[in-house]
Structures are given as structure tokens and as C-alpha cells.
Amino acid sequence: MEPTTGLILRRITQTDLSVSAHKLATLILDGIAWKDGYNGLPRGTAAFTLSSLAAKMGVSRQYLSVLLSELETSELKLEREKSNGKFAPWLFRFAAFDDGEQTHDLVSDGDDTSLSREESNKTIFTGQINIDGCSNVFRTCWAELIKAAKSALPCWNVDTQVIWERFLAFNRARGNSKVPAGFLLGFMRRWRTSLGEATRPPALPAPQPVQEPRERELHEQIKAAPSSNRQFHASDLCRVIGQAAYDARIVAVIRQFGCPRFTATLAVHGRAVLAGEISR
């Protein structure tokens, strides 16, 4: 039978691989051409440079080689070749899905909608998802699909059950009881933009600092005289009580409250306004 994205994806999820190797296999699968000549590639192959693969994976070239070796020796039988010169990209293909390979054991029954079909050069997920069905994703056929597909998507670090619950809630809120299977993959691809603000916990109001009685008293004195007029207040108060008395009041406030001189100056002005010695 002809291999499809769903068929290969199922084999990837069933193969015993490391988490990083699963992600790499999914990335390669995403780049496979399903029509001869599409992007200039033979059918069933994907083209990547090793540097671009390493960048997509977020790993070093050395570790990428380890992951490629793991896929090559696995049941997926990844093959790669470079036939177009030194600077050409590598061509990747999963040899486990050659025509001679027996893949009938990977075909799902009629109730399994996780496979896909090919239409022209596009891969389309077929079937329907019942929104009012099982709330536990691990009792459905979608758990392995989500787990494998999310490794290359924005929701790569989100729990599979959480993705499923959000998907169900998203559709229930819109009155959908049954949706095409492709909606699930689209929902996962748009995870950041569709859920970015909704998944953030509401911001807690900043706690108001509790003022001690002495701080409150000092603050009330400062409020009595606007700080923008402090130069006029200083001049008026010095004219009334003299410079020496003015300085003495500032020192007294500093000793009483243990505050900086500037704060004490504003408090002295406020006291004078409250006492009627100067105008506000």
C-alpha cells in the first residue's frame, strides 16, 4: 500500500526511540514530498541540510549525528544520501515503507480516524472527532497522534491530556459536537496565538504596603505642602522663623523619623502649612 503521513506517524509512535529521535523523525516526516517533483524532490523524500536540522532541533551537529544514527538503526530504517554535490542538502527517506515492506499491520480499522489520505500534494486528515466523547485522551486513538505531532509544534512541552481537554473545551464553547480530525492538528499548531492570553493566570493585584503609624504621620505632613512649591515654602518659612530655626526643625524631624534630609524638609514645610505659618 502507498505510505501516508498518518501511516508513517503511527510507525514513529510505535517505534522505541528517545524523545529527541521521535522529534527528529517528525520533523523529517513534515518535510516529505508526497508528489514526484514537488519542491524538486522525488516522492517520499525530504531535503534538509544538517545545519538546518540541528537548528530546528536546537542541538549540536554532533548530537544530531547521534540521533540520525538512532533512526537509521531503528525499525524506521532512515536512509540519507547526498547526490547533488557537496553543498546540496541531504535527501532523507524512511526505507521501512518501501513497496516491498509489509505495512498491513499498521492499517487501522474503520473506526480509527488517525490515518490520513493523499490528495494531490497535500496530506489531509480524515474522519471526525466526537467532542462529547471520552474526556480521557488515553482511551481514544488520538493520544499517540498528539504525543508524536506536538514534538515539532508550539505545544511541545504541554501535557497530552491538557491539549485534549483544551481542544474539547474550545469546541464546546463554540457549540461544536463533532469536528474534522484536521481541527486537532490545526489547534495544536496555533497553540500560542489561540491560547497565549487565555492560559496565563490572572495577574494578582500588587499588595498595598502597610504603613506604620509613624510613617503615616510623616506622610500626612508631607502631603500638606506640595513638593513642587518647596522652594517657595523654604523661602517663606525662613523669612518667618529665620534660617537657624528652619535648619533646627529639619534636624528635629530627621531625629524623630529617621528619614533623609529631603523628606524631612518636605515634612517641615507641611507642618508649617498645617500650623498656618505659610500658605500652601
Side-chain angles (χ1 to χ4, degrees):
M1 64 175 293
E2 292 289 341
T4 62
T5 298
L7 185 66
I8 299 177
L9 185 58
R10 169 160 298 196
R11 174 67 71 87
I12 291 174
T13 61
Q14 292 177 342
T15 303
D16 186 16
L17 297 168
S18 65
V19 174
S20 295
H22 270 122
K23 180 178 179 179
L24 178 58
T26 306
L27 282 173
I28 294 174
L29 172 61
D30 189 58
I32 287 181
W34 294 113
K35 182 179 181 182
D36 273 322
Y38 181 65
N39 285 342
L41 299 174
R43 175 181 168 82
T45 63
F48 295 97
T49 62
L50 296 184
S51 58
S52 67
L53 268 184
K56 289 176 181 291
M57 289 289 297
V59 299
S60 65
R61 289 279 295 273
Q62 291 81 0
Y63 187 56
L64 177 66
S65 298
V66 174
L67 297 178
L68 289 172
S69 298
E70 183 178 353
L71 293 178
E72 289 166 358
T73 57
S74 71
E75 295 177 1
L76 298 174
K77 300 180 182 179
L78 178 69
E79 292 183 354
R80 55 174 170 148
E81 62 175 342
K82 181 182 286 190
S83 56
N84 296 319
K86 179 179 179 181
F87 299 103
W90 287 87
L91 298 182
F92 297 86
R93 57 189 291 272
F94 294 105
F97 302 93
D98 288 347
D99 292 339
E101 295 285 331
Q102 295 296 320
T103 57
H104 62 276
D105 60 314
L106 299 177
V107 181
S108 63
D109 57 33
D111 294 332
D112 189 342
T113 58
S114 63
L115 295 185
S116 60
R117 61 184 174 85
E118 182 191 11
E119 180 178 286
S120 182
N121 62 333
K122 298 180 181 178
T123 301
I124 303 173
F125 285 97
T126 61
Q128 300 283 321
I129 296 178
N130 185 3
I131 301 302
D132 297 322
C134 185
S135 59
N136 187 341
V137 69
F138 297 104
R139 295 180 181 176
T140 71
C141 61
W142 303 107
E144 292 301 324
L145 177 64
I146 294 174
K147 191 182 300 183
K150 73 177 183 179
S151 61
L153 296 175
C155 55
W156 63 271
N157 60 343
V158 182
D159 184 75
T160 301
Q161 180 64 32
V162 172
I163 295 174
W164 179 251
E165 290 174 354
R166 295 271 174 82
F167 177 71
L168 296 181
F170 177 83
N171 284 282
R172 285 170 182 159
R174 285 156 179 76
N176 299 330
S177 59
K178 186 176 289 187
V179 296
F183 279 27
L184 175 58
L185 188 58
F187 180 80
M188 294 167 63
R189 284 176 174 164
R190 293 169 178 80
W191 185 265
R192 286 177 181 166
T193 55
S194 62
L195 296 177
E197 295 297 327
T199 56
R200 295 178 186 171
L204 297 176
Q208 295 296 326
V210 179
Q211 290 184 329
E212 296 292 336
R214 292 179 61 193
E215 292 181 21
R216 192 160 50 246
E217 179 185 356
L218 180 63
H219 183 66
E220 292 298 327
Q221 292 175 6
I222 292 174
K223 283 200 309 182
S227 60
S228 58
N229 295 335
R230 62 184 180 277
Q231 293 178 342
F232 298 105
H233 294 153
S235 177
D236 292 344
L237 189 55
C238 285
R239 188 164 50 248
V240 172
I241 65 174
Q243 184 67 48
Y246 176 77
D247 292 337
R249 289 189 182 186
I250 293 175
V251 172
V253 172
I254 293 174
R255 289 175 178 172
Q256 180 182 357
F257 295 101
C259 59
R261 183 177 182 85
F262 179 77
T263 304
T265 301
L266 297 180
V268 168
H269 296 169
R271 286 180 175 182
V273 170
L274 293 173
E277 294 177 313
I278 59 175
S279 62
R280 181 178 170 85

